[in-house]
Amino acid sequence: MKKAFFLFTVITALSWQANSQEISKNAIGLRFGESDGFGPEVNYQRHLGDNNRLELGLAFHSEKHWDAIKLVGIYQWIWNIDGGFNWYAGPGAGVGIVNYDKKGDDYPFDNDRYDDSEAFAFITGDIGIEYNFDFPLLISLDMRPQFNLGYRDDISFDVGLAARYQF
């Protein structure tokens, strides 16, 4: 009986160790995303617990007839796949400002020739995969569905690739 209990304890400890991951206390970097216009995002992640973190981002998106700036916050849960390879998901929200440049006959929404700005809020989520290298680099690929409130009232999908320095 003692041998069976010892064997069970060792197997349980090894499987628990294999499923654990190390989340750095802080990570900062750039995320390049495409959601109705390509743009970079200055991105910061803060460790909150054993398997969760907070991600904050300041994004700049641009297209032919408009520019936007967004601030987003996302709570994430992280699950280990193997070694430094993880996947994550979580809910979030944000705010932003979009500036329209309605000059030109090819403006897709109307023929007005004036500039306009609009503030908006959005609800988002995040699902992605990441690899944590042995040196302080974290790379990730994720998708953020975003439900806009006030700005076109639609759903957009932001796919992004990020590189972050961990400290």
Side-chain angles (χ1 to χ4, degrees):
M1 182 68 179
K2 287 183 181 181
K3 288 182 183 179
F5 178 75
F6 178 73
L7 183 61
F8 175 76
T9 304
V10 169
I11 290 171
T12 303
L14 290 174
S15 65
W16 178 76
Q17 180 65 26
N19 286 328
S20 69
Q21 72 272 0
E22 188 173 320
I23 303 170
S24 65
K25 293 284 184 191
N26 300 288
I28 191 165
L30 290 176
R31 178 182 181 273
F32 295 96
E34 196 288 317
S35 173
D36 295 331
F38 179 77
E41 174 181 306
V42 177
N43 192 274
Y44 173 74
Q45 294 177 336
R46 175 69 180 159
H47 169 84
L48 297 177
D50 289 340
N51 66 344
N52 52 19
R53 67 181 171 216
L54 178 64
E55 181 173 316
L56 302 172
L58 180 62
F60 307 92
H61 288 277
S62 182
E63 208 170 78
K64 185 175 182 179
H65 294 288
W66 59 267
D67 297 313
I69 185 170
K70 299 188 308 186
L71 180 63
V72 64
I74 301 171
Y75 183 86
Q76 296 173 337
W77 291 276
I78 300 102
W79 297 275
N80 185 255
I81 297 171
D82 186 32
F85 194 51
N86 302 317
W87 75 280
Y88 56 91
V95 295
I97 297 174
V98 62
N99 182 30
Y100 303 101
D101 183 12
K102 298 182 180 182
K103 296 177 183 170
D105 294 331
D106 60 342
Y107 184 72
F109 301 112
D110 59 29
N111 289 327
D112 294 337
R113 295 177 184 268
Y114 63 92
D115 291 339
D116 194 15
S117 294
E118 181 179 357
F120 63 97
F122 58 92
I123 299 169
T124 190
D126 195 13
I127 184 164
I129 57 174
E130 67 185 17
Y131 188 77
N132 186 353
F133 289 93
D134 291 335
F135 50 95
L137 176 65
L138 177 71
I139 59 169
S140 66
L141 177 66
D142 65 7
M143 183 183 75
R144 293 182 187 168
Q146 176 177 308
F147 179 69
N148 298 309
L149 307 169
Y151 165 64
R152 296 192 311 189
D153 292 330
D154 69 351
I155 296 176
S156 60
F157 295 93
D158 185 7
V159 177
L161 178 65
R164 297 177 187 93
Y165 171 75
Q166 301 177 77
F167 56 99

